[in-house]
Amino acid sequence: MGRILMIGAGGVATVAAFKIAQNADVFTEFMIASRRKEKCDQIVDAIHKAGHTMDIKTAQVDADDVEQLKTLFNDFKPQLVVNLALPYQDLTIMDACLACGCNYLDTANYEPKDEAHFEYSWQWAYRERFEKAGLCAILGCGFDPGVTSIFTAYAAKHHFDEIQYLDIVDCNAGNHHKAFATNFNPEINIREITQKGLYWQDGKWVETEPLEFHQPLTYPNIGPRESYLLHHEEIESLVINYPTIKRARF
């Protein structure tokens, strides 16, 4: 996978850019594109100051505009497009990937701008089109979703005959010394915790009011934290791929 194009220049994208630069033997050509090119340039400067010598190109692009994306993809000709922009832009980037013959990867599923609601149905509708084009689209390849799904698959393969009850628990152990701080886009974070909760129980989805169910959980090396039931997209995928699951919660 020599030629990679990353869209986005926020906190998650910055971490991903450093990881890509650390693997220059795998990713031989790298471009960072975002709505503001100067933010991309700042990431490149930070990577070079850290001692990485990888030649990284930057570009300006509006990820809401399929035609702009197509122009950029046709010019750089990436083998893989890594979408670390906003979830609102997943579908436009997927459309451009299909048009230009690029493989696709993201870390969070699509949600519309006018509603605090996300699910995989919009992106799963692209599956046949990517298969027919001979392209790969990897969805939710971040931490959660992403690592959480990998951990579940590992547990199912190496530790259990079957999984019937699955609880995924996640806790931010950091302290920013601020009243409110997030590890990713604040708007997306607020939308995530204010939409209705959802969990899988006995073959059907059960909807809850936002933050309706919560309890203290004690996390290893962290201690007790009040934890809230949310809807999270990996549950949608896991209950399909592991049909023995009777109840799944995040």
Side-chain angles (χ1 to χ4, degrees):
M1 191 60 68
R3 192 184 295 258
I4 183 169
L5 190 153
M6 185 182 76
I7 301 177
V12 175
T14 299
V15 173
F18 269 85
K19 290 296 183 182
I20 292 168
Q22 289 168 6
N23 291 275
D25 56 330
V26 177
F27 305 109
T28 55
E29 296 185 66
F30 181 26
M31 173 180 281
I32 305 173
S34 186
R35 189 184 301 270
R36 293 174 55 201
K37 184 178 181 297
E38 58 267 29
K39 291 191 67 177
C40 305
D41 294 332
Q42 289 169 7
I43 294 174
V44 174
D45 289 343
I47 289 172
H48 289 163
K49 286 179 181 177
H52 302 289
T53 58
M54 186 181 198
D55 180 26
I56 305 171
K57 297 179 174 62
T58 62
Q60 189 279 330
V61 71
D62 181 354
D64 291 316
D65 189 322
V66 175
E67 294 304 315
Q68 281 194 35
L69 290 165
K70 287 165 59 178
T71 298
L72 180 65
F73 294 176
N74 284 328
D75 179 57
F76 186 65
K77 294 180 172 56
Q79 294 167 279
L80 174 67
V81 173
V82 177
N83 171 15
L84 298 179
L86 293 171
Y88 317 138
Q89 298 161 328
D90 287 3
L91 302 188
T92 54
I93 297 172
M94 292 180 79
D95 285 333
C97 283
L98 280 169
C100 300
C102 305
N103 297 292
Y104 172 88
L105 181 147
D106 69 25
T107 60
N109 67 3
Y110 173 76
E111 59 180 289
K113 289 184 178 181
D114 57 356
E115 182 183 5
H117 175 78
F118 60 93
E119 60 182 58
Y120 268 130
S121 62
W122 290 288
Q123 288 182 276
W124 281 350
Y126 281 68
R127 181 171 183 168
E128 186 175 347
R129 294 166 62 192
F130 270 82
E131 287 178 344
K132 287 183 176 179
L135 297 171
C136 181
I138 301 176
L139 309 181
C141 192
F143 184 81
D144 51 1
V147 173
T148 48
S149 298
I150 293 169
F151 282 177
T152 302
Y154 186 91
K157 182 177 182 179
H158 296 286
H159 296 293
F160 300 103
D161 295 326
E162 65 178 40
I163 295 177
Q164 297 183 353
Y165 297 93
L166 173 67
D167 281 347
I168 296 176
V169 295
D170 180 20
C171 174
N172 180 4
N175 187 344
H176 301 280
H177 304 290
K178 297 178 181 179
F180 177 77
T182 70
N183 290 333
F184 56 96
N185 184 275
E187 178 185 359
I188 301 301
N189 200 174
I190 292 170
R191 287 165 65 107
E192 180 180 67
I193 65 175
T194 56
Q195 72 167 317
K196 291 182 180 295
L198 202 68
Y199 66 94
W200 180 259
Q201 178 83 45
D202 297 326
K204 63 182 181 181
W205 292 105
V206 181
E207 189 174 77
T208 71
E209 292 302 311
L211 307 181
E212 178 181 1
F213 293 104
H214 57 95
Q215 66 184 70
L217 297 176
T218 300
Y219 295 83
N221 303 316
I222 297 172
R225 292 288 190 277
E226 196 69 16
S227 302
Y228 295 81
L229 187 149
L230 304 174
H231 166 56
H232 229 250
E233 57 258 54
E234 63 262 56
I235 298 297
E236 295 182 49
S237 177
L238 289 169
V239 298
I240 292 174
N241 287 285
Y242 297 95
T244 59
I245 292 177
K246 298 178 181 179
R247 186 190 69 207
R249 305 179 297 188
F250 183 98

